[in-house]
Amino acid sequence: MKFQLKSDSISNLSADIIILAVNKSNKLCSSLNLNKRLKDELNAIIELGDLSMSIGSASVYPIIENFKRVCFVRIQDKDETTSEDLLKLANNIFSSIKPIKAETIILPLKQFINKKVNEEFASKLFTRAALDKFYEINSLKSEKKVKDKNNQIIFQSDKADHSSIKFGIKEGKASAQGANLTKDLGNLPPNICTPTYLANQSKKIAKDYKMKSTVLNRKQIEQLKMGSYLSVAKGSREEPKFIIMEHRKGKKTEKPIVLVGKGITFDSGGISLKPGAAMDEMKYDMCGAATVLGVMKTVGELNLPLNVVGLIPTCENMPDGLAVKPGDIVRSMSGQTIEILNTDAEGRLILCDALTYAERYKPDTVIDIATLTGACVIALGHHASAVFSKNDKLANNLLDAGNESIDKAWRMPLWDEYQTLLNSNFADMANIGGRAAGSITAACFLSRFAKKYDWAHIDIAGTAWNSGANKGATGRPVNLLIQFLINKTKTKN
Ligand code: BES
Ligand code: MN
Ligand code: ZN
């Protein structure tokens, strides 16, 4: 898909589809300067009265003149279209266009600009939405889909706005490419997307963007004394890999932001075996890792002037004669001992050692991203990722980035009152805290390994993929994290 800029008036352009906004009073935007014939024809369709009144709804009609079709989209009157409305309408536009053979799409941008939404933001969001909606699962179906690679989206606007629109396109494209990589990795079957596969992906990204990638094998992980992480990998024939990525484009002295991603390439539950229904979806248990890889790709694409480190502990969680058992006690890299009461609470067991490893970077901030708990899905459903942090500023920065990028997150408590639920009679802590507040006790567990730096945990169990007929990875929360990092580049002194 290509993105272009044109400043010609609409009457001088031609395309397969033109996108036109219609407000609640059934009026087209006055900035369009349409010729009379086109205007009359469009108004005739609008007057039929079958355009939905709901904000963001999009529908396609054939027209004549220099456009084969028009896609009408309903917007608010006056200046009331919010950034959230904009994402919704952009998604609807590209979903309704996708099944149609439309190689050129004219999008007059002015129609969507108001006090809350500027040209840069609008072009970024449209670019992101187009690449998101035109994303195709890299499936293994024998019948190959014919891909429409020649789509062109032409943003029509005044010359004066071109540089901000170009910037918007650049950021939108880079974020979508990262998110689409995250989706690709998530959607791959677990017999292909193994720890070794993820490690090779990190090498590829590092090569493409001149980063450093180091991959530690089982022996090297043993030397680091990551006993908690290794206990999870014990039941699998796949070798665990500890992936380290470093993007160093900030000042040498600047402390890095460390992103840690849960990389369980298949979570069977281990000896505490999961029930069979929907167990295939536990291939998505590496979406935290895929998010880190996606973010690193975007960071490389934008060449952000920051130091960013990605850490990915990755392995399978499988039952086996040698697998870790309920009752086993393991020693983490931090020295703290853990009584494993449920082998299905494995995410925290691999993450805790990665969090200890992160200390060596003397980080500015550490953020872990994990499909950590089913309880998180019960608490927040599928709309918001859960943010846990003792640091109000960090938590708020993440929530703000989520709102700005419309990849929303909601804060959960991480109060010390919950810590006692992890008490064990036999070790420093148990790996589960019982049924109550399951996503919070998981975060409490992690907090015990993240005391030496500012830290936040993002539980993406409800947001990383969709189930049912639309089963597929969402690429979340790549956009949130990229926005967070972009904001970091702006607040640096
Ligand atoms: N990967 C799962 C969490 C999960 C489950 C995410 C379903 C999305 C959908 C995690 O490893 C897990 O199994 N957690 C357990 C923890 C429990 C044993 C304390 C859970 O949530 O049931
Ligand atoms: Mn599990
Ligand atoms: Zn898991």
Side-chain angles (χ1 to χ4, degrees), residues 305-317:
L306 291 171
N307 294 330
V308 185
V309 173
L311 299 179
I312 298 173
T314 171
C315 66
E316 281 182 342
N317 184 23

Side-chain angles (χ1 to χ4, degrees), residues 262 264 266-270 272 274 282 285 317 342-348 371-373:
K262 171 177 172 182
I264 296 289
F266 188 73
D267 181 12
S268 70
S272 313
K274 285 182 182 293
M282 283 297 114
D285 214 16
N317 184 23
N342 189 321
T343 66
D344 197 12
E346 85 298 338
R348 60 198 81 180
T371 49
L372 203 63
T373 61

Side-chain angles (χ1 to χ4, degrees), residues 131-384:
L131 292 169
D132 178 40
K133 287 292 155 192
F134 278 76
Y135 168 82
E136 297 270 357
I137 292 179
N138 204 354
S139 79
L140 297 169
K141 292 184 202 251
S142 311
E143 197 182 320
K144 288 276 167 244
K145 276 190 191 157
V146 233
K147 283 197 178 168
D148 244 348
K149 280 200 178 135
N150 298 323
N151 286 307
Q152 275 191 54
I153 294 182
I154 300 158
F155 291 112
Q156 187 251 6
S157 79
D158 297 345
K159 264 250 150 57
D161 302 324
H162 280 201
S163 68
S164 36
I165 296 171
K166 271 190 193 146
F167 192 74
I169 295 173
K170 185 179 158 207
E171 279 193 356
K173 236 179 165 171
S175 304
Q177 281 169 2
N180 286 351
L181 171 67
T182 301
K183 289 185 228 171
D184 276 341
L185 294 172
N187 288 329
L188 278 172
N191 58 331
I192 294 179
C193 187
T194 59
T196 306
Y197 187 94
L198 291 178
N200 291 338
Q201 282 293 313
S202 89
K203 295 269 182 214
K204 185 171 179 304
I205 296 166
K207 188 161 170 257
D208 289 350
Y209 302 105
K210 299 196 169 58
M211 297 177 187
K212 193 172 156 197
S213 161
T214 315
V215 176
L216 308 184
N217 60 21
R218 193 190 298 267
K219 220 175 177 174
Q220 292 165 304
I221 302 168
E222 277 164 9
Q223 279 159 2
L224 286 169
K225 299 197 159 59
M226 293 182 161
S228 181
Y229 171 20
L230 284 165
S231 75
V232 178
K234 264 176 76 184
S236 166
R237 312 284 168 104
E238 291 290 340
E239 191 176 29
K241 302 281 177 188
F242 189 70
I243 303 168
I244 303 157
M245 294 191 76
E246 292 171 65
H247 165 93
R248 298 215 174 255
K249 299 287 164 63
K251 289 202 197 90
K252 268 220 162 74
T253 51
E254 205 173 277
K255 294 173 166 181
I257 296 154
V258 179
L259 304 175
V260 181
K262 171 177 172 182
I264 296 289
T265 59
F266 188 73
D267 181 12
S268 70
I271 297 297
S272 313
L273 194 63
K274 285 182 182 293
M279 206 208 262
D280 67 289
E281 294 189 8
M282 283 297 114
K283 71 173 185 179
Y284 289 116
D285 214 16
M286 36 57 72
C287 281
T291 297
V292 172
L293 292 169
V295 169
M296 292 309 280
K297 182 179 170 69
T298 305
V299 163
E301 196 67 46
L302 294 173
N303 203 12
L304 291 185
L306 291 171
N307 294 330
V308 185
V309 173
L311 299 179
I312 298 173
T314 171
C315 66
E316 281 182 342
N317 184 23
M318 296 293 275
D320 181 80
L322 284 177
V324 70
K325 304 171 288 301
D328 283 0
I329 293 179
V330 296
R331 188 179 297 278
S332 65
M333 184 183 181
S334 71
Q336 299 178 88
T337 55
I338 304 160
E339 184 186 14
I340 297 177
L341 291 177
N342 189 321
T343 66
D344 197 12
E346 85 298 338
R348 60 198 81 180
L349 295 174
I350 69 169
L351 289 169
C352 70
D353 282 338
L355 290 172
T356 302
Y357 188 88
E359 287 173 6
R360 68 182 56 197
Y361 294 99
K362 301 199 169 40
D364 170 81
T365 309
V366 178
I367 302 166
D368 77 72
I369 307 102
T371 49
L372 203 63
T373 61
C376 179
V377 191
I378 304 301
L380 294 180
H382 302 285
H383 297 293

